[in-house]
Amino acid sequence: AQTVTQSQPEMSVQEAETVTLSCTYDTSESNYYLFWYKQPPSRQMILVIRQEAYKQQNATENRFSVNFQKAAKSFSLKISDSQLGDTAMYFCAFITIQGAQKLVFGQGTRLTINP
Amino acid sequence: DSGVTQTPKHLITATGQRVTLRCSPRSGDLSVYWYQQSLDQGLQFLIQYYNGEERAKGNILERFSAQQFPDLHSELNLSSLELGDSALYFCASSVSVGAGGTETQYFGPGTRLLVL
């Protein structure tokens, strides 16, 4: 079975701090893509960052970066210099190249940035 | 704004009724995906269409059906609605050129369905 586990249901940090959200996944496939999506109170699903499993270099997008450990099947998201607008649910997800082209999501981490 | 549009934004209906949710993908995207987000089940993949053809099916109930039209917009039909069908229904789209299907999926704003 393909699963994603986000072990932190909720996190809270002060503005400008750095925070890391954890994600582990399980798949027997070797070729896949990993994503972090953000869902603010508006409920819109917004892509934060994407990582190709065949790439060793960790993806970065401005203040967002990932720590991808393929052997450990770990894909954590680091948010630097956190801002109030980063308050949201964050979902880790992956999609395999073979088989059904569906995103498999974790249960999410609710992140609150406090002023 | 992802470029994916969904209508209506909100829908309130009664048990036993039938509703249709509509999705227009981003310009140039051939694949449309439907997901259901509920409190107890999280985000679940329902079905994918690629250029008018059903490509993959997930945890979609037999009471639910979908189609993609020649202009690439898609509709999700939910019938014999039950209280448990209350959820946020997302449509996503991607380019999906070739068999890879690993292009990034961009999500619409969702349709919030409440069954009373």
Side-chain angles (χ1 to χ4, degrees):
Chain A
Q2 299 180 334
T3 59
V4 177
T5 302
Q6 294 180 246
S7 59
Q8 305 148 313
E10 292 190 26
M11 296 188 72
S12 178
V13 298
Q14 297 299 119
E15 194 176 5
E17 289 184 347
T18 294
V19 59
T20 299
L21 281 57
S22 301
C23 171
T24 57
Y25 58 92
D26 188 23
T27 178
S28 57
E29 300 289 334
S30 57
N31 294 317
Y32 49 88
Y33 290 70
L34 295 151
F35 303 86
W36 279 96
Y37 282 89
K38 165 185 175 180
Q39 188 176 40
S42 66
R43 307 302 298 274
Q44 173 81 48
M45 291 290 286
I46 301 167
L47 176 70
V48 175
I49 201 164
R50 162 188 161 122
Q51 173 80 44
E52 291 85 349
Y54 62 85
K55 287 187 178 178
Q56 292 187 337
Q57 186 173 6
N58 289 322
T60 62
E61 285 288 342
N62 301 314
R63 298 182 295 107
F64 299 88
S65 61
V66 298
N67 183 4
F68 174 46
Q69 303 287 332
K70 190 171 184 179
K73 293 184 180 174
S74 170
F75 183 60
S76 61
L77 175 70
K78 185 171 86 170
I79 306 174
S80 303
D81 186 27
S82 57
Q83 301 175 359
L84 297 179
D86 296 332
T87 293
M89 279 288 284
Y90 285 81
F91 291 94
C92 177
F94 77 89
I95 188 169
T96 58
I97 294 176
Q98 299 297 327
Q101 295 161 16
K102 63 175 184 179
L103 282 165
V104 178
F105 286 92
Q107 290 298 99
T109 295
R110 185 176 303 278
L111 175 65
T112 301
I113 309 298
N114 299 304
Chain B
D1 185 356
S2 67
V4 180
T5 61
Q6 288 186 249
T7 57
K9 284 190 171 55
H10 302 277
L11 204 45
I12 302 175
T13 188
T15 54
Q17 295 298 305
R18 172 188 169 95
V19 297
T20 297
L21 282 52
R22 182 187 169 103
C23 167
S24 292
R26 297 186 317 157
S27 177
D29 284 0
L30 299 178
S31 266
V32 169
Y33 310 78
W34 287 97
Y35 292 87
Q36 179 194 59
Q37 185 178 30
S38 61
L39 283 175
D40 55 344
Q41 295 290 329
L43 273 154
Q44 300 274 323
F45 168 75
L46 295 177
I47 197 165
Q48 179 206 0
Y49 277 80
Y50 171 70
N51 204 21
E53 300 290 327
E54 182 182 304
R55 174 67 70 90
K57 198 177 257 194
N59 301 321
I60 188 166
L61 300 171
E62 286 192 11
R63 301 183 285 108
F64 296 0
S65 64
Q67 55 184 330
Q68 186 179 26
F69 295 87
D71 66 352
L72 300 177
H73 91 271
S74 177
E75 292 181 356
L76 179 67
N77 300 295
L78 314 177
S79 61
S80 302
L81 285 167
E82 302 175 359
L83 296 178
D85 297 328
S86 295
L88 186 55
Y89 290 85
F90 284 108
C91 168
S93 75
S94 71
V95 174
S96 265
V97 175
T102 49
E103 293 82 3
T104 298
Q105 295 181 24
Y106 294 91
F107 283 73
T111 293
R112 191 172 303 203
L113 173 66
L114 179 59
V115 182
L116 299 175

